[in-house]
């Protein structure tokens, strides 16, 4: 009976749970799904991480290559993020060129990198005007069940913290680069941005970490990105229901709390895999 009601009136079905301050999956409105992270899972990448947020599963691999800096940014390297939502992760996506949601997610990640200043592009420069690192950050969704932005940001941060770059010098006489694979250094992560997403129901009710079903039924979504200094890096709100100042402040406060949980989880995993 409940299954039939959910199929015919999915929104009304959800509202009955929301009135009791809970959700069909048993979570409270402000409760996140179980979150796990596995770091260094791709041996062929220079840094990688696998993140699970409930059923949503995202893997990020970072490949570092050498290139000449841009003429107008002679002392800077590059960071190139790309989010893929292949057809294997959900029936809502099709094979072929990146869809609108994948493009929007890639742009969101690029904005997070830029706004948070998580990596100073100057740190990626090896020799001004001659040589710099390019970090290709491929984020691939393996299983989609909503909240792709939180999972992608988390996977990116964890993968970048796993990156080890070999020592590179430019030979003054020949002008050629010399790579020392025996001497590797971790990437300098200056800020640790964490995204926290909310779905808005009936223009007023906020629920955190929405599933794909909840995103479809919501009247809007908003994603807040903060760093370890409780600084607001960005707010991403693609249309939908407007938010009052008080509601937005509530989102920011919850995002700051969530940041501490995620940072603690990453630090714990990194500490466990470091050689003693």
């Amino acid at each position: 009976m409940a299954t039939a009601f959910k199929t015919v009136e999915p929104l009304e079905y959800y509202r009955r749970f929301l009135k009791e301050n809970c959700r069909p999956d048993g979570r409270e409105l402000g409760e996140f799904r179980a979150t796990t992270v596995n770091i260094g899972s791709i041996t062929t990448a220079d840094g990688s991480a696998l993140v699970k947020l409930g059923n949503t599963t995202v893997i990020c691999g970072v490949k570092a290559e050498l290139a000449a800096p841009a003429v107008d940014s002679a002392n800077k390297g590059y960071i190139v993020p790309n989010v893929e939502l292949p057809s294997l992760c959900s029936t809502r996506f099709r094979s072929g060129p990146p869809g609108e949601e994948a493009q929007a997610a890639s742009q969101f990640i690029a904005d997070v990198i830029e706004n948070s200043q998580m990596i100073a592009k100057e740190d990626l420069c090896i020799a001004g005007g001659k040589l710099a690192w390019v970090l290709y950050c491929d984020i691939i969704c393996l299983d989609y069940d909503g909240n792709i932005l939180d999972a992608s940001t988390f996977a990116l941060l964890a993968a970048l913290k796993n990156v080890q770059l070999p020592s590179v010098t430019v030979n003054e006489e020949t002008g050629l680069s010399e790579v020392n694979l025996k001497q590797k250094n971790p990437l300098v992560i200056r800020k640790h941005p964490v995204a926290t997403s909310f779905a808005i129901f009936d223009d007023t009710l906020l629920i955190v970490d929405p599933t794909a079903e909840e995103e479809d039924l919501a009247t809007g979504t908003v994603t807040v990105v903060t760093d370890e200094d409780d600084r607001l890096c960005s707010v991403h709100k693609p249309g939908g229901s407007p938010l009052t100042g008080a509601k937005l402040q509530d989102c920011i406060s919850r995002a700051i709390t969530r940041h501490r949980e995620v940072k603690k989880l990453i630090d714990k995993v990194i500490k466990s895999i470091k050689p003693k």
Side-chain angles (χ1 to χ4, degrees), residues 20-187:
E20 303 299 324
N21 287 321
C22 70
R23 301 192 237 179
D25 62 7
R27 285 186 292 158
E28 294 179 5
L29 305 191
E31 189 179 341
F32 291 85
R33 287 174 288 179
T35 307
T36 58
V37 57
N38 184 298
I39 293 177
S41 34
I42 307 176
T43 54
T44 52
D46 295 297
S48 63
L50 176 77
V51 167
K52 279 181 71 75
L53 199 53
N55 290 330
T56 296
T57 308
V58 170
I59 195 160
C60 177
V62 180
K63 287 292 279 184
E65 293 183 6
L66 295 169
V71 177
D72 56 348
S73 305
N75 65 333
K76 293 182 180 180
Y78 311 86
I79 307 171
V80 185
N82 180 51
V83 177
E84 291 183 33
L85 298 171
S87 56
L88 69 87
C89 75
S90 171
T91 53
R92 70 171 65 201
F93 304 119
R94 296 282 173 268
S95 300
E100 193 176 320
E101 195 168 344
Q103 290 179 48
S106 295
Q107 187 57 55
F108 170 82
I109 294 295
D111 291 343
V112 167
I113 293 169
E114 194 67 38
N115 296 335
S116 68
Q117 294 295 297
M118 65 189 300
I119 294 175
K121 291 179 182 175
E122 290 83 359
D123 291 344
L124 299 176
C125 183
I126 297 163
K130 295 179 181 177
L131 199 64
W133 285 111
V134 185
L135 300 181
Y136 291 100
C137 307
D138 289 312
I139 302 165
I140 302 167
C141 182
L142 304 178
D143 191 352
Y144 182 91
D145 188 22
N147 204 359
I148 190 69
L149 300 185
D150 286 19
S152 296
T153 307
F154 190 177
L156 173 75
L157 176 58
L160 288 173
K161 285 184 75 71
N162 179 236
V163 170
Q164 296 275 333
L165 295 177
S167 176
V168 180
T169 53
V170 177
N171 189 307
E172 294 295 331
E173 293 179 9
T174 62
L176 299 173
S177 57
E178 297 175 353
V179 181
N180 182 358
L181 294 172
K182 291 181 180 178
Q183 185 182 345
K184 292 191 174 185
N185 300 302
L187 204 55

Side-chain angles (χ1 to χ4, degrees), residues 175-210:
L176 299 173
S177 57
E178 297 175 353
V179 181
N180 182 358
L181 294 172
K182 291 181 180 178
Q183 185 182 345
K184 292 191 174 185
N185 300 302
L187 204 55
V188 179
I189 309 292
R190 295 180 178 267
K191 292 293 176 187
H192 297 73
V194 171
T196 307
S197 293
F198 304 82
I200 308 162
F201 266 85
D202 294 334
D203 300 333
T204 55
L205 207 58
L206 283 172
I207 64 169
V208 303
D209 183 21

